[in-house]
Amino acid sequence: GNSVTQMEGPVTLSEEAFLTINCTYTATGYPSLFWYVQYPGEGLQLLLKATKADDKGSNKGFEATYRKETTSFHLEKGSVQVSDSAVYFCALSGPGGFKTIFGAGTRLFVKA
Amino acid sequence: NAGVTQTPKFQVLKTGQSMTLQCAQDMNHNSMYWYRQDPGMGLRLIYYSASEGTTDKGEVPNGYNVSRLNKREFSLRLESAAPSQTSVYFCASSEGVGSSYEQYFGPGTRLTVT
């Protein structure tokens, strides 16, 4: 079945550091891939998405590239801010796929 | 534009009690979902409604029932609460079913069963 594996946290970085959160997936067919972010006390919100191989999703300085050859969708940001402290979820949705599969989430702490 | 709203925000129940979690969306979305979030396990789908008038089981439906009251509202009922149902519950909605549709989430209900 479909699954998503993302790196365990927490990840602690200093402000302006480079961020990578790894995400790999297993899926049949050609899923769409998502990164969602959850700020403290809130629900999840979409950060970025990619719907086909080699697509790059980007938003608020975050980027992720859909790599079919390595079944990965790693999240990157060049310079994190304290306000980026949150939990980040990688997710996939298969063809016809209302059943979105979420990873376990990676908590990011950014220190000033 | 309120998006997805959920009530209550917090609830404490004793084992065996029942309760209904309410969810409403004002985005005219066709599809709605209930998830539970437990530490280290991400979000797991409890039930979903692809469109008004339909509901289907997700990954972890045991102990829950749902009602799609109309296009806007989708409620989740715990008939006899158990400590294993202690969790944070999220409602979500999307325009439709399909791999590219974004889901919009409510703020969550934190439920404790003692």
Side-chain angles (χ1 to χ4, degrees), chain A residues 30-34 36 38 41-46 49 51 87 89 92-105, chain B residues 31 33 35 37-38 40-45 48 50 57-59 88 90 96-108:
Chain A
Y30 300 92
S32 292
L33 301 174
F34 306 83
Y36 283 84
Q38 184 181 29
E42 298 183 10
L44 281 70
Q45 55 187 276
L46 182 68
K49 71 178 185 182
T51 58
V87 181
F89 292 90
L92 70 80
S93 185
F98 38 78
K99 293 182 183 179
T100 301
I101 307 294
F102 289 86
Chain B
S31 305
Y33 314 82
Y35 292 92
Q37 182 180 30
D38 301 296
M41 300 191 74
L43 273 73
R44 292 183 292 170
L45 183 64
Y48 65 95
K57 295 178 181 179
E59 184 184 352
V88 181
F90 288 100
V97 299
S99 58
S100 63
Y101 285 112
E102 170 186 355
Q103 293 188 19
Y104 294 79
F105 285 81

Side-chain angles (χ1 to χ4, degrees), chain B residues 14-86:
Chain B
K14 294 189 189 308
T15 298
Q17 289 185 317
S18 62
M19 79 162 295
T20 300
L21 281 64
Q22 306 286 354
C23 173
Q25 51 91 10
D26 62 2
M27 296 173 282
N28 201 36
H29 284 170
N30 291 305
S31 305
M32 297 185 74
Y33 314 82
W34 276 105
Y35 292 92
R36 58 179 289 172
Q37 182 180 30
D38 301 296
M41 300 191 74
L43 273 73
R44 292 183 292 170
L45 183 64
I46 304 170
Y47 271 93
Y48 65 95
S49 171
S51 60
E52 186 179 356
T54 70
T55 61
D56 284 287
K57 295 178 181 179
E59 184 184 352
V60 287
N62 291 346
Y64 306 95
N65 285 299
V66 291
S67 295
R68 183 75 183 266
L69 304 170
N70 48 55
K71 192 171 185 179
R72 289 187 64 248
E73 298 172 288
F74 188 40
S75 62
L76 177 73
R77 182 159 179 84
L78 287 69
E79 291 291 352
S80 178
S84 61
Q85 295 178 304
T86 294

Side-chain angles (χ1 to χ4, degrees), chain A residues 23-112:
Chain A
C23 172
T24 57
Y25 69 90
T26 302
T28 53
Y30 300 92
S32 292
L33 301 174
F34 306 83
W35 277 101
Y36 283 84
V37 59
Q38 184 181 29
Y39 298 104
E42 298 183 10
L44 281 70
Q45 55 187 276
L46 182 68
L47 181 60
L48 53 85
K49 71 178 185 182
T51 58
K52 60 183 188 297
D54 300 325
D55 267 2
K56 178 186 281 189
S58 61
N59 186 25
K60 299 181 182 179
F62 291 89
E63 293 183 340
T65 301
Y66 188 162
R67 302 280 188 206
K68 193 168 190 316
E69 63 277 13
T70 54
T71 62
S72 64
F73 192 55
H74 304 321
L75 182 68
E76 296 182 334
K77 187 176 185 184
S79 176
V80 293
Q81 305 301 312
V82 172
S83 58
D84 293 326
S85 298
V87 181
Y88 293 82
F89 292 90
C90 186
L92 70 80
S93 185
F98 38 78
K99 293 182 183 179
T100 301
I101 307 294
F102 289 86
T106 302
R107 185 176 294 277
L108 171 66
F109 292 106
V110 181
K111 304 179 296 184

